[in-house]
Amino acid sequence: MARKLSKNVKIAKNLTSKVDILPLQEAIDLAKKASFAKFDESLDIAINLNLDTRKSDQQLRGAVVLPNGNGKSVRVLVATDDVNAQKAAKAAGADLVYSAAELPEILNQDKYEFDVIVADPKMMLVLGKYGKKLGPKGLMPNPKTGTVTTTPAKAVEELKKGKANYRADKGGIIHSSIGKKSMDTKKLTENAEALIQVIKRLKPTTVKGTYVKNITVSTSMGPSVKVKID
């Protein structure tokens, strides 16, 4: 028996099915209008790239500081033994700061009170032992996303401002959040443009032909809207 669509879902699908491809700002505005969730959804972007991620030079992964933040409150744990770095991280807004000796007690807990770990490179010897636990939760620090660094205070500042992590999946598609539905459409557009420009700049030299195949935007629960590619 076919699942009956709700009235709001029908309206959302009807709104987006009537259009083909829109300029970025118009696409984001329509994606917001086609959202009927009762919570403040994330505004997501999907960038389909002509990549063969089996090749090491075509595996894109990193992070970009969004000009208007991501609308999220991020709890940051900093791991370092450097006393000065600990003080700087706290001043930058780190929610938790721990040394190598203190980390095991925190990481052995069943529930974590943080969303991101920023680690001094030396801390990876300790954190590596918890890879099977942190990895599936997306909490393992990585140099490509700026969370393994000798300047943790700077990383904390960027995370608090709002960063968008990106990573090409096996199909060469990058999925990322660029903010919250409640944010101003123009600000969301500026965030999306910042991410798109970074992705374009990182085009591998070995890619031939069209690089950006298509782009869509959507709220986390809503239908996607196709974006016109410049």
Side-chain angles (χ1 to χ4, degrees):
M1 183 177 178
R3 184 180 177 184
K4 188 176 181 180
L5 296 177
S6 71
K7 180 181 177 181
N8 286 340
V9 170
K10 287 181 180 179
I11 293 173
K13 286 184 174 294
N14 190 44
L15 279 172
T16 55
S17 64
K18 289 182 178 180
V19 298
D20 186 17
I21 301 176
L22 293 174
L24 181 58
Q25 185 165 323
E26 291 180 32
I28 289 175
D29 193 45
L30 180 58
K32 291 172 65 175
K33 290 177 180 177
S35 167
F36 292 93
K38 295 181 180 180
F39 62 95
D40 193 10
E41 299 174 78
S42 292
L43 203 296
D44 303 325
I45 188 169
I47 307 173
N48 190 354
L49 303 172
N50 176 24
L51 294 177
D52 183 352
T53 54
R54 294 172 297 179
K55 299 178 180 179
S56 60
D57 66 333
Q58 294 190 25
Q59 296 174 2
L60 297 189
R61 182 177 185 181
V64 56
V65 178
L66 299 174
N68 300 299
N70 56 17
K72 299 176 183 178
S73 178
V74 182
R75 300 169 298 176
V76 184
L77 181 153
V78 170
T80 178
D81 279 336
D82 187 306
V83 176
N84 290 327
Q86 289 177 350
K87 291 178 180 179
K90 289 178 180 177
D95 299 273
L96 302 166
V97 179
Y98 292 107
S99 65
E102 297 168 324
L103 276 177
E105 182 180 352
I106 300 302
L107 299 180
N108 280 322
Q109 294 179 8
D110 294 327
K111 187 177 181 180
Y112 295 146
E113 299 298 326
F114 54 87
D115 306 301
V116 183
I117 299 176
V118 173
D120 182 283
K122 295 177 182 178
M123 295 295 103
M124 295 309 292
L125 290 172
V126 178
L127 290 167
K129 298 176 182 178
Y130 296 87
K132 290 183 178 179
K133 189 174 183 180
L134 298 174
K137 296 178 183 292
L139 292 172
M140 181 58 75
N142 190 297
K144 291 184 178 180
T145 58
T147 48
V148 177
T149 173
T150 55
T151 55
K154 181 181 178 182
V156 171
E157 288 177 358
E158 291 179 346
L159 285 164
K160 291 295 184 178
K161 287 179 181 176
K163 293 179 72 173
N165 291 323
Y166 59 84
R167 182 177 186 176
D169 63 18
K170 291 181 180 180
I173 303 174
I174 285 176
H175 298 274
S176 184
S177 171
I178 54 171
K180 289 287 190 177
K181 182 181 71 175
S182 60
M183 292 173 62
D184 180 74
T185 298
K186 185 177 180 181
K187 290 183 177 180
L188 287 168
T189 303
E190 291 172 352
N191 282 353
E193 289 173 340
L195 175 61
I196 292 169
Q197 291 307 312
V198 167
I199 299 304
K200 286 183 176 180
R201 221 168 33 238
L202 293 174
K203 177 184 178 182
T205 56
T206 52
V207 171
K208 305 300 179 184
T210 301
Y211 175 47
V212 181
K213 296 162 71 174
N214 62 67
I215 299 174
T216 60
V217 292
S218 67
T219 57
S220 52
M221 301 288 288
S224 60
V225 182
K226 293 181 180 178
V227 176
K228 182 179 180 181
I229 302 172
D230 296 328

